[in-house]
Every structure is written in structure tokens, then in C-alpha cells.
Amino acid sequence: WRIAPGEPIVLPPVEQMDPALMAPLPALATFDPAPRTDIDFAAVASEGIRYSVKVEGMEPTGLESSFRRLSALHRGQNRPATAAQIASRANSDKLLMERLLFSEGWYGATVAVQSDFEKEGEAAIRLIVVPGERYSWREIVLDLIPDNRPDLAQGFGLQVGDPIRAIEVEEAEGALLFKLNSSGYPFAEIGVRDVVLDADKPTGTYLLTGDIGPQGVFGDIKLTGYRPFDEAHARVIARFRPGQPYDARLVDDFRRALIATQQFGGVTVTPVDSGVRDEQGRAVTEMQVQGNRGPQRLLTGQIGYATEEGFRLEGSWRHRNLIEPEGMLTTRAVLGTEEQRATAELSFSNFRQRDRTLDFSADLANLDPAAYSAQQFTLGVGIGRASTPIWQKRWTWNAAFDLGVSRERGKGLTFIYDPDTQRRDFLFASLPVWVGYDRSNDLLDPTSGYRLRVDMNPEVSREGGNVETYGRMFLEGSAYQGVAKSTVLAGRARVGAIVGADLLKIAPTRRLYAGGGGSVRGYDYQSVGSLGVNGLPVGGRGLFESSVEVRHRFGDFGVVGFVDAGSVNKDIGPSFSDVRFGAGVGARYFTSFGPIRIDVARAVNRSKLDPPFALYISIGQSF
């Protein structure tokens, strides 16, 4: 029954009410404070006994494992207990079992508890279950769905004939509300549910009330509370526009994107009826953003040692909103055995378009890896569009301009006297551009699909009076395929080439190298490819790398077996005549932000310069 707004509530006469409702409450003096139990513990010693627990009759329900996980009797059966403790646990478990049965539709079930004392100090507790017939839905009525929108009820999680399960009721109602909000009804409300069980057969009726409210369209965005930027920049971040039909999925995406700016400590996005209606009578819905200030500065540091790179100490300082909107300044310093570096980067996120970034950078470095030593200073500016965990994009790209000076020398001797090993000064300018195409199903842990990427880097280099113009080009692809339950076969291939200049006229830092954690695992960094007469890398103009992994996951953990291959050629283009192989195994721990990776690898056709094995620790899959 229903009452219209403003209509008086009229109760039936007292004589027509249920007599049980009008009966007086029992006197408090008659209340028995002793715990109720179906077990006679008169013979139980007061100092406690050990007991065993047996459950009978639960097999048809499939709930015994759930019961054992929550049972008070099972948790304490390995320790002596007093009669009162066992009685309390038995009563608690009886109620628990009844609740579990009722939640899964066994409303006619009965539960009894019995005890047997085989000898003094020991007892056997039996919980006997008679499930009866399982109740199912006879009728599903969604009273809140209007007759002219039957499509809103399609796919509702409860169906006639299905067992009555409490968890499915809650899930279905949550999914229905989300569907209404995603179908243009921002102010839909789920009302009271009514479940009526039939008396003559194991069936029931489900009735859901509520009000879906008016249809809505997106209106303007209003920022309240902390304002790290204005409404104009918020509209850049949002994927909806005024007048577009309301969709809760776009609202949730907007909220997550605001959090991803790292400007807020917390933020909520609430739809508010502005009171304005469009030409079709839909409510213009204002999006009200309420946020509080998050930490604007971040100081980080790390220290480590690696067999490939030696000692390394790194620190960084970041201001997340130095220049509004979203102008983040990051400074970084590195002090290590093979690298000393100071960098500064000013990055503008969501630059005039969602997920587009404009970067300005300055880098001063002293590098001393296996192949060369170099001191260089570089200035760069770049703009690009990249994938994020919130929105993995099919197409990504980046274009930049770099200008730098470098003093460097190669370490690998191609012959006894090699001018490449003398200090040389270079001035270079480059236009690196890359384009990526992603059809994988996950950014950090793909299990199906593929990825492609093309890099083009035209470059002009000047050494003294000599000017060299050349291009560095790379093509990379990876693919992922499930081959069994929880098992994925993954493969990667990368080829590269430098065209337009002889090898020794190219600065050592601009040549191609292979080997190490991101290349051919098991080998030292830069150690795959051409080596000089002194056993140190020379670099090349052709590159080939490939990897094959078998990844198996069980719960939050996983194991990986892999084989890597690679070569570096002095001539243009990849060579397959001197391919080096590495193999190994790895472990994965899967977190909410991606898998933590630990790999152990060994060079297959190793030289005496290569390590016996190499260890790699990182976040995300290797490719």
C-alpha cells in the first residue's frame, strides 16, 4: 500500500490489529540469564576438556567449507575448554549455520547439536543439518522501472527459477543502480526491497521499489574547497561536455583523473540538479567537485648496488604544482660508480588536452659505462600522448627536440691505435619521434593482444669542422597469448639501424648496444655485440633483440621461464650471425599497481667477461 504526499495516515482500529502486537511484554523477573544450549554438559569436568567437531548433512548445500572457516568450535577444538565455553561456541555455530543456509536459500533447514562423551576429558560435538528444499524465485518485480523503459530492466541479476541468494540480491541491486546512473539517470534511488516466501512451496517473490528520477545531461563543473586549477582546466580533464547525456562511468573516470593529477589529498564528484531543464525536459546536472589539498612537495631517495652498474645513490625533489595548472618541477641527482647526473624537468600534464604532456628538461651527466666515458649537457622540449592506468590508449606518440654538447671517448679498441678512444667534442641536435599502437588488454600485465612501436630519430652531429647527418630507427613489437589456464606465452622482437654515417664518425653515446636487464638478460650492460681487441664494447649500427617468456600465475604469485637473444652489428641493420642467448627463471608478486618482478638469468654462450648469473628486480613485466 502507498500514501500520497500530504495524505493523512489512518491506522486500523485496535480490535483489527494482530493480538500478538498488542500483548503485554513478559515480566523481566521471568527472564532466564543462563545460556541456551541443546547440549547436556553435566558430566563435563570443570577444568575443561578437548573436543572434536563433526558436521553432518551439509554436502548438498556446498557450504561446509564456508562454515569451517568461520566456526568458533573449529577455531578452538585443539585447546581444552570449559562447559560454558563449548556451550557458547555450539550456540554461536548453530546460529552461524542457520544464517549461512538462509543466505543461500535453504529457508526450511533445521540444525541440531549433539554431544557424545567417549571417555573422561574428551567429547565429540556433532552438528546435524537437514537442509530441506532450496527456495527459488517465482516472480521478480522491479516497481521502480517505468513501463516505457523496459530496457533498463534487461540483464537484471535475479531471474525466475534461480536460487534465492542474499549476495546475488545485493549485487543485482548495486548493478541496477549503476546501470541507471550510466543510462542517463543521475538521481536514481533504490528503495525498499520486499521478499515474500510462499507458505505452500519453496518459492518466493521479489519486489524492489524506488525512484529513477528525471533523465539528466551534463552541465558545468564547479570546484569547491581546494582549487589547484580553475574550471577551464577541469573541463580539459573531463571526458564529457555540457549537454551530453549523463553517464556515471564518465563521472568515475573524471574523479580518478583528478586523483591522478596528484593535486588532491581526496576528492569527490557529486551530481547536483541545477533546476534547469533542456528542450527535452532533461535535468541539467552540475558536477560539483569537492577536494582537499594534497601534499605538494615530495622528497625521495634510494641507494643500491648492482653487479652491472656498481654503487648508486639517487635523490629527487618534486613540486607538483609549481606553475598552475599542473606545472610539476622535478629535480634529480645521481651519484654512482658509472653515473653522476643532475637533471631538472618542468612537465605540464593535461596540456590543453587530456593525457597530453608538455616537457622541458635540462640534463648534466658524467657517464662511465663499459663502452664509453662521456660528459654531456642536454636541453630538450617534447610533447606527447601516453597511456595511463586509468585510460589505456590504442595510439600513443611523442615528438621532441634535443640540443646538446658532449665530450666523450670510446673504450673499445678496434685496432692498436684507435682515434675513437681519444677525447672528442660533439655538438648535436635531434628530433626524436615515436608512435605506438597498443591492442593488449593491460598496461602492466598483458595476457592477450599485441603492441607495436616505431622510433625515428634524425640527428645532426658536429665534431670540429665535420658535420654528420644520420638517422636512428627502431621497430619493436610484442604479443601475448593465453595457452592454458593462468598461463601466458609472451614474445618480443626489436630491430634497429643507424643510416647515413660510418660507425666511427658517430659519437659512442649515439651508437647501438645490447645486453642487460632491458635487453638480453644474463649479460653485462652493453656487452652483447662487437668487442674491441681489449674486450670492451665498440657499439654498432645494427641491432637485434628478442625474448620469449612463459608466464604462469597462481593467486597473487607467479613464475616465469624465459629465453632472450640479441646481437649488435657494425654494419647497417640487424645481424643474425653472432646471436647471443640468455636464459633464466623469475618470480612475480601481483599487487594492485602491477606485478613486482624478480628475474635470475645466465648467459648461455657466455665469455669469461660475462657474470655467472645476473639478478633483476623491477615493477611490471619485462615487456
Side-chain angles (χ1 to χ4, degrees):
W1 56 279
R2 297 180 179 177
I3 298 176
E7 182 180 335
I9 301 175
V10 180
L11 297 177
V14 174
E15 58 271 13
Q16 295 182 14
M17 291 186 176
D18 187 343
L21 294 176
M22 306 305 297
L25 295 175
L28 187 61
T30 64
F31 175 71
D32 185 4
R36 173 183 172 273
T37 179
D38 300 323
I39 310 174
D40 181 10
F41 286 103
V44 177
S46 60
E47 63 271 14
I49 62 170
R50 294 184 179 274
Y51 62 89
S52 61
V53 182
K54 184 177 182 181
V55 179
E56 300 176 4
M58 287 283 280
E59 293 82 1
T61 69
L63 296 173
E64 186 168 349
S65 60
S66 298
F67 170 76
R68 289 181 179 275
R69 188 171 61 254
L70 302 172
S71 166
L73 284 171
H74 278 91
R75 285 198 302 270
Q77 66 177 335
N78 294 323
R79 299 185 301 272
T82 65
Q85 288 175 322
I86 298 177
S88 176
R89 295 171 189 173
N91 284 328
S92 175
D93 276 8
K94 181 180 178 182
L95 294 175
L96 168 65
M97 190 172 289
E98 289 173 345
R99 286 196 299 269
L100 287 173
L101 291 165
F102 293 169
S103 70
E104 292 293 316
W106 307 92
Y107 292 103
T110 60
V111 181
V113 182
Q114 293 182 358
S115 63
D116 297 318
F117 296 94
E118 302 172 352
K119 57 182 179 179
E120 186 176 355
E122 294 184 8
I125 312 300
R126 299 170 60 209
L127 292 96
I128 304 170
V129 180
V130 180
E133 292 186 85
R134 192 175 193 182
Y135 279 65
S136 60
W137 296 116
R138 177 176 59 83
E139 185 179 12
I140 305 293
V141 180
L142 302 179
D143 190 58
L144 75 167
I145 302 298
D147 295 337
N148 63 341
R149 292 299 307 272
D151 57 294
L152 297 176
Q154 292 180 359
F156 186 62
L158 305 181
Q159 300 294 327
V160 173
D162 288 348
I164 299 178
R165 302 182 65 230
I167 189 172
E168 288 184 353
V169 171
E170 296 177 354
E171 290 174 349
E173 291 174 356
L176 177 62
L177 180 60
F178 181 76
K179 182 176 181 179
L180 292 172
N181 293 155
S182 302
S183 301
Y185 292 90
F187 309 111
E189 295 182 355
I190 297 294
V192 178
R193 85 171 69 96
D194 192 8
V195 177
V196 179
L197 302 179
D198 298 329
D200 55 344
K201 52 185 177 181
T203 55
T205 300
Y206 174 84
L207 171 66
L208 182 63
T209 62
D211 183 10
I212 66 172
Q215 283 187 290
V217 295
F218 285 110
D220 204 358
I221 297 173
K222 298 294 183 182
L223 296 178
T224 61
Y226 175 59
R227 293 169 56 91
F229 39 74
D230 58 17
E231 281 81 358
H233 188 68
R235 287 191 289 271
V236 171
I237 297 175
R239 296 189 186 276
F240 52 81
R241 296 293 175 263
Q244 181 179 341
Y246 181 88
D247 191 333
R249 293 168 295 186
L250 295 177
V251 176
D252 184 61
D253 171 78
F254 180 46
R255 181 188 61 81
R256 290 189 295 158
L258 290 173
I259 294 173
T261 65
Q262 304 181 55
Q263 306 298 322
F264 298 94
V267 63
T268 59
V269 180
T270 306
V272 177
D273 191 345
S274 66
V276 179
R277 298 295 184 264
D278 68 0
E279 296 177 352
Q280 302 179 34
R282 298 175 297 182
V284 178
T285 307
E286 182 180 283
M287 305 310 301
Q288 193 171 95
V289 178
Q290 172 69 45
N292 59 286
R293 181 185 178 93
Q296 297 299 297
R297 295 168 179 81
L298 177 67
L299 181 65
T300 63
Q302 56 181 328
I303 185 171
Y305 178 83
T307 55
E308 293 181 356
E309 301 177 5
F311 170 81
R312 180 183 175 92
L313 175 65
E314 179 176 344
S316 67
W317 179 84
R318 174 176 296 173
H319 192 302
R320 292 189 169 121
N321 203 24
L322 181 67
I323 302 176
E324 294 186 10
E326 293 194 75
M328 180 171 63
L329 175 65
T330 303
T331 59
R332 184 169 67 98
V334 177
L335 179 62
T337 305
E338 296 184 352
E339 177 186 6
Q340 300 85 46
R341 184 185 297 270
T343 65
E345 181 179 17
L346 181 60
S347 177
F348 292 91
S349 300
N350 298 306
F351 179 69
R352 298 186 177 181
Q353 182 178 313
R354 169 81 174 264
D355 293 334
R356 183 167 63 188
T357 302
L358 177 65
D359 295 309
F360 299 91
S361 63
D363 178 62
L364 178 64
N366 179 52
L367 307 175
D368 192 30
Y372 53 78
S373 64
Q375 298 80 44
Q376 58 186 22
F377 176 69
T378 306
L379 295 173
V381 58
I383 187 170
R385 180 175 184 263
S387 282
T388 67
I390 297 176
W391 198 286
Q392 184 177 351
K393 298 169 184 61
R394 184 165 296 182
W395 288 99
T396 54
W397 57 271
N398 186 271
F401 172 72
D402 293 333
L403 181 65
V405 294
S406 177
R407 170 170 291 180
E408 54 190 81
R409 67 177 180 86
K411 294 182 178 180
L413 290 171
T414 55
F415 41 85
I416 299 301
Y417 173 76
D418 190 345
D420 190 41
T421 62
Q422 305 301 311
R423 291 284 182 183
R424 296 192 290 169
D425 296 329
F426 294 89
L427 173 66
F428 59 86
S430 61
L431 292 169
V433 176
W434 63 262
V435 177
Y437 183 69
D438 190 348
R439 292 301 302 268
S440 66
N441 66 336
D442 190 89
L443 189 63
L444 295 177
D445 186 26
T447 57
S448 64
Y450 62 91
R451 297 171 180 170
L452 297 172
R453 173 167 162 160
V454 177
D455 289 71
M456 303 290 292
N457 187 358
E459 189 164 283
V460 177
S461 174
R462 178 175 179 174
E463 180 197 2
N466 299 321
V467 177
E468 298 291 338
T469 302
Y470 52 88
R472 293 152 47 93
M473 299 173 291
F474 301 92
L475 175 62
E476 182 173 2
S478 57
Y480 315 91
Q481 178 65 52
V483 294
K485 184 178 180 181
S486 302
T487 303
V488 175
L489 179 64
R492 177 187 74 99
R494 182 173 185 249
V495 293
I498 300 179
V499 297
D502 293 336
L503 178 64
L504 296 183
K505 293 182 178 180
I506 302 171
T509 57
R510 323 303 282 183
R511 299 171 190 170
L512 305 183
Y513 301 94
S519 178
V520 185
R521 286 165 286 187
Y523 294 86
D524 273 342
Y525 178 60
Q526 299 180 334
S527 67
V528 170
S530 301
L531 302 179
V533 295
N534 57 351
L536 297 177
V538 176
R541 294 187 297 164
L543 171 72
F544 163 71
E545 294 175 346
S546 67
S547 298
V548 176
E549 290 191 351
V550 179
R551 305 169 179 172
H552 180 73
R553 178 172 179 172
F554 46 95
D556 291 335
F557 297 91
V559 293
V560 173
F562 59 86
V563 175
D564 296 343
S567 67
V568 175
N569 185 26
K570 291 183 179 180
D571 298 323
I572 298 173
S575 172
F576 305 98
S577 60
D578 187 23
V579 178
R580 311 293 289 276
F581 294 91
V585 296
R588 304 290 185 266
Y589 175 66
F590 295 90
T591 69
S592 58
F593 54 85
I596 296 177
R597 171 168 62 99
I598 301 176
D599 290 336
V600 179
R602 177 180 172 86
V604 174
N605 43 352
R606 61 187 292 266
S607 67
K608 61 182 180 180
L609 300 177
D610 296 313
F613 69 91
L615 176 67
Y616 308 93
I617 301 175
S618 185
I619 296 176
Q621 297 287 7
S622 56
F623 59 88

